[in-house]
Amino acid sequence: MADTPAQTVRDWAETRAALQAARSQGRAVFLCSPPGASSWLGAGWWAALQEKAGGEFPDVDFVLALDCGDSAGDAMAAIRAGVKALIFTGENDAALKLDNMAAQSASRLYRQHP
């Protein structure tokens, strides 16, 4: 997945289109929200998007990451909501704590927007 270019998605229509393209091309895809989108999309909404995507595209290798910018509170809310991948650009001390929380809940923390 490290060699997979990131694609920004904002809603279900864009997510579905990206996953359909990945399926038809037989490739993995890294999907992410716009930078800092956790503040206006919300963790619960993103978790529901993640669940819908996984349910409709179980055969596609994908990551759907919510960008929390430098907001540790948004990142914690995302982890609690069950978001499996999140992007955090805040301070290293907070990132270390968030990474530990993410690991305990089967989430993954990315340190920058790919």
Side-chain angles (χ1 to χ4, degrees):
M1 190 68 64
D3 297 334
T4 305
Q7 181 176 348
T8 300
V9 294
R10 293 163 190 82
D11 57 28
W12 172 241
E14 290 179 0
T15 303
R16 183 180 61 226
L19 292 172
Q20 286 172 333
R23 177 187 277 160
S24 70
Q25 296 167 10
R27 63 178 174 84
V29 64
F30 190 103
L31 306 175
C32 53
S33 72
S38 62
S39 67
W40 50 274
L41 285 175
W45 186 88
W46 196 261
L49 180 68
Q50 167 189 282
E51 186 174 331
K52 184 173 179 88
E56 293 198 25
F57 295 90
D59 56 321
V60 177
D61 183 14
F62 72 92
V63 170
L64 185 61
L66 176 62
D67 191 308
C68 299
D70 62 359
S71 174
D74 284 359
M76 285 188 285
I79 293 167
R80 282 189 216 111
V83 173
K84 295 187 186 306
L86 52 131
I87 299 163
F88 180 70
T89 59
E91 298 200 17
N92 286 335
D93 288 345
L96 290 172
K97 293 174 185 172
L98 290 167
D99 193 41
N100 186 37
M101 288 176 63
Q104 292 178 32
S105 65
S107 294
R108 176 151 184 209
L109 182 75
Y110 295 87
R111 286 291 289 139
Q112 60 186 358
H113 204 90

